[in-house]
Short mmCIF file of all heavy atoms in Angstrom, two decimals:
data_model
loop_
_atom_site.label_atom_id
_atom_site.label_comp_id
_atom_site.label_asym_id
_atom_site.label_seq_id
_atom_site.Cartn_x
_atom_site.Cartn_y
_atom_site.Cartn_z
N GLY C 1367 -1.54 15.37 -15.83
CA GLY C 1367 -2.02 15.54 -14.47
C GLY C 1367 -3.37 14.92 -14.25
O GLY C 1367 -3.98 14.35 -15.16
N THR C 1368 -3.82 14.99 -12.99
CA THR C 1368 -5.16 14.55 -12.62
C THR C 1368 -5.97 15.77 -12.23
O THR C 1368 -5.52 16.58 -11.42
CB THR C 1368 -5.08 13.57 -11.42
OG1 THR C 1368 -4.39 12.39 -11.84
CG2 THR C 1368 -6.46 13.20 -10.91
N ILE C 1369 -7.16 15.89 -12.81
CA ILE C 1369 -8.06 16.99 -12.43
C ILE C 1369 -9.14 16.42 -11.53
O ILE C 1369 -9.78 15.42 -11.86
CB ILE C 1369 -8.70 17.63 -13.68
CG1 ILE C 1369 -7.62 18.21 -14.60
CG2 ILE C 1369 -9.72 18.70 -13.29
CD1 ILE C 1369 -6.83 19.37 -14.02
N ARG C 1370 -9.30 17.04 -10.35
CA ARG C 1370 -10.36 16.64 -9.42
C ARG C 1370 -11.34 17.80 -9.28
O ARG C 1370 -10.92 18.93 -9.04
CB ARG C 1370 -9.77 16.34 -8.04
CG ARG C 1370 -8.78 15.24 -8.01
CD ARG C 1370 -8.18 15.05 -6.59
NE ARG C 1370 -6.82 14.58 -6.69
CZ ARG C 1370 -6.48 13.31 -6.92
NH1 ARG C 1370 -7.41 12.40 -7.03
NH2 ARG C 1370 -5.21 12.96 -7.02
N ILE C 1371 -12.62 17.50 -9.38
CA ILE C 1371 -13.67 18.52 -9.25
C ILE C 1371 -14.61 18.08 -8.14
O ILE C 1371 -15.03 16.93 -8.11
CB ILE C 1371 -14.46 18.66 -10.58
CG1 ILE C 1371 -13.51 19.11 -11.70
CG2 ILE C 1371 -15.63 19.62 -10.41
CD1 ILE C 1371 -14.07 18.89 -13.09
N ARG C 1372 -14.91 18.99 -7.21
CA ARG C 1372 -15.90 18.72 -6.16
C ARG C 1372 -16.88 19.88 -6.16
O ARG C 1372 -16.47 21.03 -6.00
CB ARG C 1372 -15.19 18.61 -4.81
CG ARG C 1372 -16.12 18.63 -3.61
CD ARG C 1372 -15.42 18.33 -2.31
NE ARG C 1372 -15.02 16.92 -2.25
CZ ARG C 1372 -14.43 16.35 -1.20
NH1 ARG C 1372 -14.16 17.07 -0.12
NH2 ARG C 1372 -14.11 15.07 -1.22
N TYR C 1373 -18.15 19.59 -6.35
CA TYR C 1373 -19.10 20.71 -6.35
C TYR C 1373 -20.42 20.33 -5.68
O TYR C 1373 -20.76 19.14 -5.56
CB TYR C 1373 -19.33 21.22 -7.79
CG TYR C 1373 -20.22 20.37 -8.65
CD1 TYR C 1373 -21.53 20.76 -8.94
CD2 TYR C 1373 -19.76 19.18 -9.21
CE1 TYR C 1373 -22.35 19.99 -9.74
CE2 TYR C 1373 -20.57 18.41 -10.02
CZ TYR C 1373 -21.87 18.81 -10.27
OH TYR C 1373 -22.68 18.05 -11.06
N VAL C 1374 -21.13 21.35 -5.24
CA VAL C 1374 -22.48 21.21 -4.69
C VAL C 1374 -23.41 21.85 -5.70
O VAL C 1374 -23.38 23.07 -5.89
CB VAL C 1374 -22.59 21.90 -3.32
CG1 VAL C 1374 -24.03 21.82 -2.80
CG2 VAL C 1374 -21.62 21.28 -2.33
N PRO C 1375 -24.23 21.04 -6.40
CA PRO C 1375 -25.07 21.63 -7.45
C PRO C 1375 -26.19 22.49 -6.87
O PRO C 1375 -26.66 22.24 -5.76
CB PRO C 1375 -25.63 20.40 -8.17
CG PRO C 1375 -25.57 19.30 -7.18
CD PRO C 1375 -24.41 19.58 -6.28
N ASP C 1376 -26.58 23.47 -7.67
CA ASP C 1376 -27.79 24.23 -7.32
C ASP C 1376 -28.92 23.72 -8.24
O ASP C 1376 -29.55 22.72 -7.92
CB ASP C 1376 -27.52 25.72 -7.50
CG ASP C 1376 -28.69 26.56 -7.02
OD1 ASP C 1376 -29.68 25.98 -6.54
OD2 ASP C 1376 -28.62 27.80 -7.11
N GLN C 1377 -29.08 24.32 -9.40
CA GLN C 1377 -30.15 23.87 -10.30
C GLN C 1377 -29.62 22.94 -11.41
O GLN C 1377 -30.41 22.30 -12.10
CB GLN C 1377 -30.84 25.08 -10.96
CG GLN C 1377 -31.49 26.03 -9.95
CD GLN C 1377 -32.56 25.35 -9.11
OE1 GLN C 1377 -33.34 24.53 -9.61
NE2 GLN C 1377 -32.58 25.65 -7.82
N HIS C 1378 -28.28 22.86 -11.57
CA HIS C 1378 -27.71 22.18 -12.73
C HIS C 1378 -26.69 21.12 -12.32
O HIS C 1378 -25.84 21.38 -11.48
CB HIS C 1378 -27.02 23.20 -13.65
CG HIS C 1378 -27.91 24.34 -14.03
ND1 HIS C 1378 -28.93 24.22 -14.95
CD2 HIS C 1378 -27.97 25.62 -13.56
CE1 HIS C 1378 -29.56 25.38 -15.06
NE2 HIS C 1378 -29.01 26.26 -14.22
N ILE C 1379 -26.78 19.99 -12.99
CA ILE C 1379 -25.79 18.92 -12.83
C ILE C 1379 -24.87 18.96 -14.05
O ILE C 1379 -25.33 19.10 -15.19
CB ILE C 1379 -26.49 17.54 -12.76
CG1 ILE C 1379 -27.43 17.47 -11.56
CG2 ILE C 1379 -25.47 16.40 -12.74
CD1 ILE C 1379 -26.73 17.38 -10.24
N ILE C 1380 -23.56 18.83 -13.81
CA ILE C 1380 -22.59 18.83 -14.90
C ILE C 1380 -22.68 17.50 -15.65
O ILE C 1380 -22.58 16.43 -15.03
CB ILE C 1380 -21.17 19.05 -14.35
CG1 ILE C 1380 -21.08 20.43 -13.70
CG2 ILE C 1380 -20.12 18.91 -15.46
CD1 ILE C 1380 -19.84 20.63 -12.85
N GLU C 1381 -22.86 17.56 -16.95
CA GLU C 1381 -22.98 16.36 -17.77
C GLU C 1381 -21.58 15.78 -18.00
O GLU C 1381 -20.67 16.49 -18.47
CB GLU C 1381 -23.67 16.73 -19.10
CG GLU C 1381 -24.45 15.60 -19.74
CD GLU C 1381 -23.55 14.69 -20.53
OE1 GLU C 1381 -22.58 15.21 -21.10
OE2 GLU C 1381 -23.79 13.46 -20.54
N LEU C 1382 -21.39 14.48 -17.70
CA LEU C 1382 -20.04 13.93 -17.66
C LEU C 1382 -19.41 13.74 -19.04
O LEU C 1382 -18.21 13.89 -19.21
CB LEU C 1382 -20.05 12.59 -16.91
CG LEU C 1382 -20.33 12.70 -15.40
CD1 LEU C 1382 -20.37 11.32 -14.78
CD2 LEU C 1382 -19.26 13.55 -14.72
N LYS C 1383 -20.21 13.39 -20.02
CA LYS C 1383 -19.65 13.16 -21.35
C LYS C 1383 -19.14 14.48 -21.95
O LYS C 1383 -18.04 14.54 -22.52
CB LYS C 1383 -20.69 12.53 -22.28
CG LYS C 1383 -20.07 11.93 -23.52
CD LYS C 1383 -20.96 10.85 -24.13
CE LYS C 1383 -20.19 10.03 -25.15
NZ LYS C 1383 -21.05 8.96 -25.72
N ALA C 1384 -19.93 15.55 -21.79
CA ALA C 1384 -19.48 16.86 -22.28
C ALA C 1384 -18.25 17.32 -21.49
O ALA C 1384 -17.33 17.93 -22.04
CB ALA C 1384 -20.61 17.88 -22.16
N LEU C 1385 -18.23 17.02 -20.18
CA LEU C 1385 -17.05 17.37 -19.38
C LEU C 1385 -15.81 16.67 -19.91
O LEU C 1385 -14.73 17.26 -20.00
CB LEU C 1385 -17.29 16.98 -17.91
CG LEU C 1385 -16.09 17.19 -16.98
CD1 LEU C 1385 -15.71 18.66 -16.87
CD2 LEU C 1385 -16.36 16.62 -15.60
N LYS C 1386 -15.96 15.38 -20.25
CA LYS C 1386 -14.83 14.63 -20.80
C LYS C 1386 -14.30 15.31 -22.06
O LYS C 1386 -13.09 15.53 -22.20
CB LYS C 1386 -15.29 13.20 -21.12
CG LYS C 1386 -14.19 12.29 -21.60
CD LYS C 1386 -14.71 10.90 -21.93
CE LYS C 1386 -15.45 10.89 -23.26
NZ LYS C 1386 -15.75 9.53 -23.75
N PHE C 1387 -15.19 15.69 -22.96
CA PHE C 1387 -14.73 16.35 -24.19
C PHE C 1387 -14.12 17.72 -23.86
O PHE C 1387 -13.13 18.12 -24.47
CB PHE C 1387 -15.90 16.50 -25.18
CG PHE C 1387 -16.28 15.21 -25.83
CD1 PHE C 1387 -17.53 14.63 -25.63
CD2 PHE C 1387 -15.37 14.54 -26.66
CE1 PHE C 1387 -17.87 13.42 -26.23
CE2 PHE C 1387 -15.72 13.33 -27.26
CZ PHE C 1387 -16.96 12.77 -27.04
N TYR C 1388 -14.71 18.41 -22.90
CA TYR C 1388 -14.16 19.71 -22.50
C TYR C 1388 -12.71 19.55 -22.00
O TYR C 1388 -11.81 20.29 -22.42
CB TYR C 1388 -15.03 20.31 -21.40
CG TYR C 1388 -14.39 21.47 -20.69
CD1 TYR C 1388 -14.37 22.75 -21.25
CD2 TYR C 1388 -13.77 21.30 -19.45
CE1 TYR C 1388 -13.77 23.81 -20.60
CE2 TYR C 1388 -13.16 22.35 -18.80
CZ TYR C 1388 -13.16 23.60 -19.38
OH TYR C 1388 -12.55 24.65 -18.74
N LEU C 1389 -12.47 18.56 -21.12
CA LEU C 1389 -11.11 18.37 -20.59
C LEU C 1389 -10.16 17.94 -21.70
O LEU C 1389 -8.98 18.33 -21.72
CB LEU C 1389 -11.13 17.34 -19.45
CG LEU C 1389 -11.84 17.82 -18.18
CD1 LEU C 1389 -11.93 16.68 -17.16
CD2 LEU C 1389 -11.12 19.01 -17.55
N PHE C 1390 -10.65 17.12 -22.64
CA PHE C 1390 -9.79 16.69 -23.75
C PHE C 1390 -9.42 17.87 -24.66
O PHE C 1390 -8.42 17.80 -25.38
CB PHE C 1390 -10.50 15.61 -24.58
CG PHE C 1390 -10.52 14.27 -23.91
CD1 PHE C 1390 -11.34 13.25 -24.37
CD2 PHE C 1390 -9.71 14.01 -22.81
CE1 PHE C 1390 -11.36 12.00 -23.74
CE2 PHE C 1390 -9.73 12.76 -22.19
CZ PHE C 1390 -10.56 11.77 -22.65
N SER C 1391 -10.20 18.95 -24.62
CA SER C 1391 -9.91 20.08 -25.51
C SER C 1391 -8.63 20.82 -25.11
O SER C 1391 -8.13 21.65 -25.87
CB SER C 1391 -11.10 21.05 -25.52
OG SER C 1391 -11.15 21.79 -24.32
N TYR C 1392 -8.08 20.55 -23.89
CA TYR C 1392 -6.82 21.17 -23.48
C TYR C 1392 -5.61 20.46 -24.10
O TYR C 1392 -4.48 20.93 -23.98
CB TYR C 1392 -6.68 21.14 -21.96
CG TYR C 1392 -7.54 22.14 -21.25
CD1 TYR C 1392 -8.85 21.84 -20.89
CD2 TYR C 1392 -7.05 23.41 -20.94
CE1 TYR C 1392 -9.64 22.77 -20.24
CE2 TYR C 1392 -7.84 24.35 -20.28
CZ TYR C 1392 -9.13 24.02 -19.94
OH TYR C 1392 -9.91 24.94 -19.31
N ARG C 1393 -5.83 19.34 -24.75
CA ARG C 1393 -4.74 18.48 -25.24
C ARG C 1393 -3.73 19.21 -26.14
O ARG C 1393 -2.53 18.92 -26.08
CB ARG C 1393 -5.37 17.32 -26.04
CG ARG C 1393 -4.41 16.22 -26.40
CD ARG C 1393 -5.20 15.07 -27.05
NE ARG C 1393 -4.35 14.00 -27.50
CZ ARG C 1393 -3.96 12.97 -26.76
NH1 ARG C 1393 -4.33 12.89 -25.52
NH2 ARG C 1393 -3.17 12.03 -27.27
N SER C 1394 -4.17 20.15 -26.92
CA SER C 1394 -3.27 20.84 -27.84
C SER C 1394 -3.06 22.30 -27.45
O SER C 1394 -2.59 23.10 -28.26
CB SER C 1394 -3.84 20.78 -29.27
OG SER C 1394 -4.16 19.45 -29.62
N GLN C 1395 -3.37 22.62 -26.20
CA GLN C 1395 -3.32 24.00 -25.77
C GLN C 1395 -2.10 24.24 -24.88
O GLN C 1395 -1.81 23.46 -23.97
CB GLN C 1395 -4.60 24.29 -24.98
CG GLN C 1395 -4.95 25.74 -24.90
CD GLN C 1395 -6.32 25.93 -24.27
OE1 GLN C 1395 -7.17 25.03 -24.33
NE2 GLN C 1395 -6.52 27.07 -23.66
N GLY C 1396 -1.38 25.33 -25.12
CA GLY C 1396 -0.27 25.72 -24.26
C GLY C 1396 -0.81 26.55 -23.11
O GLY C 1396 -1.40 27.60 -23.33
N ILE C 1397 -0.61 26.08 -21.86
CA ILE C 1397 -1.23 26.77 -20.72
C ILE C 1397 -0.48 26.40 -19.43
O ILE C 1397 -0.06 25.26 -19.25
CB ILE C 1397 -2.74 26.39 -20.63
CG1 ILE C 1397 -3.45 27.14 -19.51
CG2 ILE C 1397 -2.94 24.91 -20.52
CD1 ILE C 1397 -4.97 27.04 -19.55
N PHE C 1398 -0.30 27.37 -18.52
CA PHE C 1398 0.38 27.14 -17.24
C PHE C 1398 -0.54 26.39 -16.27
O PHE C 1398 -1.77 26.49 -16.37
CB PHE C 1398 0.78 28.48 -16.60
CG PHE C 1398 1.95 29.13 -17.28
CD1 PHE C 1398 1.78 30.25 -18.08
CD2 PHE C 1398 3.24 28.63 -17.12
CE1 PHE C 1398 2.87 30.85 -18.70
CE2 PHE C 1398 4.32 29.22 -17.75
CZ PHE C 1398 4.13 30.34 -18.55
N TYR C 1399 0.08 25.67 -15.30
CA TYR C 1399 -0.68 24.92 -14.30
C TYR C 1399 -1.73 25.81 -13.59
O TYR C 1399 -2.87 25.40 -13.41
CB TYR C 1399 0.27 24.37 -13.22
CG TYR C 1399 1.24 23.33 -13.65
CD1 TYR C 1399 2.34 23.02 -12.86
CD2 TYR C 1399 1.08 22.62 -14.85
CE1 TYR C 1399 3.24 22.03 -13.22
CE2 TYR C 1399 1.99 21.65 -15.22
CZ TYR C 1399 3.07 21.36 -14.40
OH TYR C 1399 3.97 20.40 -14.76
N GLU C 1400 -1.29 26.97 -13.15
CA GLU C 1400 -2.20 27.87 -12.39
C GLU C 1400 -3.39 28.25 -13.25
O GLU C 1400 -4.53 28.36 -12.76
CB GLU C 1400 -1.46 29.14 -11.95
CG GLU C 1400 -0.40 28.92 -10.88
CD GLU C 1400 0.93 28.45 -11.47
OE1 GLU C 1400 1.03 28.37 -12.72
OE2 GLU C 1400 1.85 28.17 -10.69
N SER C 1401 -3.15 28.45 -14.55
CA SER C 1401 -4.25 28.86 -15.42
C SER C 1401 -5.19 27.69 -15.72
O SER C 1401 -6.40 27.87 -15.84
CB SER C 1401 -3.70 29.43 -16.73
OG SER C 1401 -2.95 30.60 -16.44
N VAL C 1402 -4.64 26.48 -15.87
CA VAL C 1402 -5.49 25.30 -16.09
C VAL C 1402 -6.57 25.24 -15.02
O VAL C 1402 -7.77 25.14 -15.31
CB VAL C 1402 -4.65 24.00 -16.06
CG1 VAL C 1402 -5.56 22.78 -15.95
CG2 VAL C 1402 -3.75 23.89 -17.29
N VAL C 1403 -6.14 25.30 -13.76
CA VAL C 1403 -7.07 25.10 -12.65
C VAL C 1403 -8.06 26.25 -12.52
O VAL C 1403 -9.27 26.05 -12.37
CB VAL C 1403 -6.28 24.87 -11.34
CG1 VAL C 1403 -7.21 24.92 -10.13
CG2 VAL C 1403 -5.56 23.53 -11.41
N ASN C 1404 -7.57 27.46 -12.60
CA ASN C 1404 -8.47 28.61 -12.46
C ASN C 1404 -9.44 28.72 -13.65
O ASN C 1404 -10.60 29.10 -13.47
CB ASN C 1404 -7.64 29.90 -12.32
CG ASN C 1404 -7.12 30.09 -10.90
OD1 ASN C 1404 -7.90 30.33 -9.98
ND2 ASN C 1404 -5.81 29.95 -10.71
N LYS C 1405 -8.96 28.35 -14.83
CA LYS C 1405 -9.82 28.42 -16.03
C LYS C 1405 -10.93 27.36 -15.96
O LYS C 1405 -12.10 27.65 -16.25
CB LYS C 1405 -8.94 28.19 -17.27
CG LYS C 1405 -9.66 28.18 -18.59
CD LYS C 1405 -9.51 29.50 -19.29
CE LYS C 1405 -10.19 29.50 -20.65
NZ LYS C 1405 -11.61 29.10 -20.57
N ILE C 1406 -10.57 26.14 -15.56
CA ILE C 1406 -11.60 25.10 -15.43
C ILE C 1406 -12.64 25.51 -14.40
O ILE C 1406 -13.84 25.36 -14.61
CB ILE C 1406 -10.95 23.74 -15.06
CG1 ILE C 1406 -10.09 23.21 -16.22
CG2 ILE C 1406 -12.02 22.71 -14.69
CD1 ILE C 1406 -9.30 21.95 -15.90
N LEU C 1407 -12.17 26.07 -13.28
CA LEU C 1407 -13.10 26.51 -12.25
C LEU C 1407 -14.04 27.59 -12.81
O LEU C 1407 -15.27 27.51 -12.63
CB LEU C 1407 -12.33 27.05 -11.04
CG LEU C 1407 -13.19 27.56 -9.89
CD1 LEU C 1407 -14.13 26.49 -9.37
CD2 LEU C 1407 -12.33 28.08 -8.75
N ASP C 1408 -13.48 28.58 -13.49
CA ASP C 1408 -14.32 29.64 -14.07
C ASP C 1408 -15.36 29.06 -15.04
O ASP C 1408 -16.54 29.43 -15.01
CB ASP C 1408 -13.44 30.66 -14.82
CG ASP C 1408 -12.68 31.58 -13.86
OD1 ASP C 1408 -13.01 31.60 -12.66
OD2 ASP C 1408 -11.74 32.25 -14.31
N ASP C 1409 -14.92 28.15 -15.89
CA ASP C 1409 -15.84 27.58 -16.89
C ASP C 1409 -16.94 26.74 -16.23
O ASP C 1409 -18.10 26.78 -16.65
CB ASP C 1409 -15.05 26.72 -17.89
CG ASP C 1409 -14.18 27.58 -18.82
OD1 ASP C 1409 -14.35 28.83 -18.83
OD2 ASP C 1409 -13.33 27.03 -19.53
N LEU C 1410 -16.58 25.97 -15.19
CA LEU C 1410 -17.59 25.15 -14.51
C LEU C 1410 -18.61 26.03 -13.79
O LEU C 1410 -19.82 25.74 -13.81
CB LEU C 1410 -16.91 24.22 -13.49
CG LEU C 1410 -16.13 23.05 -14.08
CD1 LEU C 1410 -15.33 22.35 -12.99
CD2 LEU C 1410 -17.09 22.05 -14.73
N VAL C 1411 -18.13 27.10 -13.17
CA VAL C 1411 -19.04 28.00 -12.45
C VAL C 1411 -19.97 28.69 -13.44
O VAL C 1411 -21.18 28.80 -13.22
CB VAL C 1411 -18.22 29.01 -11.62
CG1 VAL C 1411 -19.11 30.15 -11.12
CG2 VAL C 1411 -17.54 28.31 -10.46
N ALA C 1412 -19.40 29.13 -14.57
CA ALA C 1412 -20.23 29.81 -15.57
C ALA C 1412 -21.29 28.87 -16.15
O ALA C 1412 -22.44 29.28 -16.38
CB ALA C 1412 -19.34 30.35 -16.70
N ALA C 1413 -20.92 27.62 -16.36
CA ALA C 1413 -21.84 26.68 -17.01
C ALA C 1413 -22.90 26.14 -16.07
O ALA C 1413 -24.04 25.90 -16.48
CB ALA C 1413 -21.06 25.52 -17.62
N SER C 1414 -22.53 25.91 -14.77
CA SER C 1414 -23.47 25.17 -13.91
C SER C 1414 -23.96 25.98 -12.71
O SER C 1414 -24.80 25.50 -11.96
CB SER C 1414 -22.81 23.87 -13.43
OG SER C 1414 -21.84 24.14 -12.44
#
Side-chain angles (χ1 to χ4, degrees):
Chain C
T1368 295
I1369 300 295
R1370 299 177 212 280
I1371 298 163
R1372 167 172 289 183
Y1373 76 105
V1374 177
D1376 186 0
Q1377 299 300 321
H1378 307 285
I1379 299 288
I1380 297 166
E1381 208 277 326
L1382 291 178
K1383 196 157 194 179
L1385 175 64
K1386 184 181 76 169
F1387 286 116
Y1388 166 79
L1389 291 174
F1390 285 167
S1391 74
Y1392 285 88
R1393 190 174 177 87
S1394 308
Q1395 201 172 334
I1397 183 168
F1398 286 107
Y1399 293 164
E1400 291 83 4
S1401 297
V1402 166
V1403 169
N1404 280 292
K1405 178 99 178 55
I1406 292 174
L1407 179 58
D1408 285 347
D1409 289 349
L1410 287 171
V1411 167
S1414 74

